[in-house]
Amino acid sequence: MSRRIGVMAAAVLGLSLVSAVPATADHGRAFPTEFALPSGFLPEGIAIGTEPTAYFGSRGDGSIYRVDLRTGTGSVFSQGPGTPSVGLKVDARKRLFVAGGTAGNGRVVDARSGAILRSYRFSPDADTFVNDVVVADRAVWFTDSRKSVLYKLALGRGGSLPEAAVTVPLTGDFVLTPGVNNANGIAETPDGRALLVVQSNTGKLFRVDPASGATEEVDLGGEVLTNGDGLLVEGRTLYVVQNRLNTVAEFSLDRAGTRGSLVTKVTDPRFDVPTTVASFGRKLYLPNARFTTPPTPETTYNAVAIPKP
């Protein structure tokens, strides 16, 4: 059960993060609200399309784990290249777009077979962390947390993939801080005309003109998105995962994405540094990255679902 910030008594009393799996009704079925991911998997990104299937990327070897949300069971269906898979999104053509983290690349994976359809090299140097991705109508966009740029895959007729990516420099209000993670989660504005990017190190949210790369800080009424990570926009609602704060913040946006007002902040005793968020039905799904837990091959990982606030 989700709780408002400050109501953490259950956690203080020692509620287990891997307790028996509860279930809630969704689409007329009882869907699990907690399920295990492979030990040692190091999850970070999550993607859910129109079907009750979730995809998780490993920031370890880059493998992708596919889960049936109706049962919570899953398996690795696409072996990783040995480099990270961080943020990922699935499109209507059942293609997974995967951000490659420190490898400075991205790849497109067939969400049915796990085959790699195409790979792209984004960064020419090692100072890179390709962190997250969003699928728009005519392009797919990736953030790089170590550079003041976005990477664009312009989609052709019928959604065809391009031969190469285009690097779009970010200008305007966005200011890069060298040596730390900057641009992180990315989403579209409610009107679909621009992009939203959260800067993890400053807690600021920016509206990005996709044609020029010009950025404008979004007016959040004084709210700071400390440890801002994954973004999800549904209608005029923006969800922001604040990873090390174990919090999901909900904002109401104007259509253009220039202003937002805080609606609520939600936490859950099962959160253990969640990083990204996707939705299905009336629930939000989040993988626990467990950044504060030293990773070993035996370290356990899971994902949890909470009701939409």
Side-chain angles (χ1 to χ4, degrees):
M1 178 186 299
S2 64
R3 292 169 169 80
R4 303 295 186 210
I5 288 290
V7 187
M8 296 297 292
V12 173
L13 292 173
L15 183 63
S16 172
L17 292 176
V18 286
S19 56
V21 177
T24 57
D26 205 334
H27 288 260
R29 303 175 184 227
F31 282 21
T33 59
E34 183 175 344
F35 44 85
L37 301 175
S39 296
F41 188 72
L42 283 76
E44 208 278 348
I46 182 174
I48 300 174
T50 58
E51 299 176 352
T53 303
Y55 305 88
F56 299 88
S58 167
R59 64 184 192 275
D61 70 353
S63 292
I64 300 176
Y65 189 79
R66 182 171 57 194
V67 173
D68 185 336
L69 295 177
R70 297 167 296 186
T71 63
T73 59
S75 62
V76 171
F77 83 107
S78 182
Q79 292 294 327
T83 54
S85 292
V86 199
L88 63 163
K89 294 292 187 298
V90 61
D91 73 357
R93 295 175 174 85
K94 299 188 184 303
R95 300 178 299 189
L96 278 169
F97 294 84
V98 185
T102 53
N105 60 18
R107 68 187 192 278
V108 187
V109 176
D110 188 314
R112 291 159 292 200
S113 69
I116 296 177
L117 303 176
R118 194 178 292 269
S119 296
Y120 297 92
R121 179 72 178 177
F122 296 142
S123 175
D125 57 64
D127 186 22
T128 181
F129 193 88
V130 181
N131 203 333
D132 207 354
V133 56
V134 65
V135 178
D137 284 342
R138 299 182 180 179
V140 180
W141 298 85
F142 294 79
T143 59
D144 191 324
S145 293
R146 296 304 180 106
K147 298 182 185 298
S148 188
V149 302
L150 296 179
Y151 304 115
K152 175 185 177 182
L153 300 181
L155 300 177
R157 186 180 299 237
S160 61
L161 299 171
E163 292 296 321
V166 175
T167 299
V168 179
L170 297 177
T171 62
D173 291 347
F174 181 89
V175 178
L176 186 80
T177 303
V180 298
N181 281 347
N182 290 259
N184 195 331
I186 184 170
E188 284 191 284
T189 55
D191 63 9
R193 296 182 178 181
L195 303 168
L196 295 171
V197 173
V198 65
Q199 189 175 12
S200 294
N201 60 307
T202 64
K204 296 180 178 180
L205 183 70
F206 296 92
R207 182 183 187 275
V208 184
D209 182 341
S212 66
T215 66
E216 175 186 359
E217 185 176 349
V218 177
D219 180 1
L220 296 178
E223 290 292 327
V224 179
L225 300 175
T226 304
N227 299 134
D229 201 327
L231 303 182
L232 173 65
V233 170
E234 292 189 330
R236 289 176 55 180
T237 296
L238 167 68
Y239 299 105
V240 184
V241 183
Q242 295 178 265
N243 54 37
R244 292 176 187 266
L245 300 187
N246 289 313
T247 298
V248 178
E250 178 188 352
F251 289 84
S252 177
L253 298 172
D254 65 353
R255 284 185 52 78
T258 61
R259 296 186 307 277
S261 58
L262 180 66
V263 176
T264 188
K265 291 186 178 181
V266 176
T267 188
D268 189 284
R270 298 168 300 158
F271 284 174
D272 193 354
V273 194
T275 43
T276 50
V277 59
S279 75
F280 190 81
R282 297 183 295 272
K283 292 198 284 287
L284 299 176
Y285 290 83
L286 304 98
N288 280 316
R290 308 194 71 189
F291 287 156
T292 58
T293 300
T296 72
E298 290 76 39
T299 302
T300 58
Y301 293 96
N302 69 348
V304 299
I306 62 171
K308 290 181 180 178

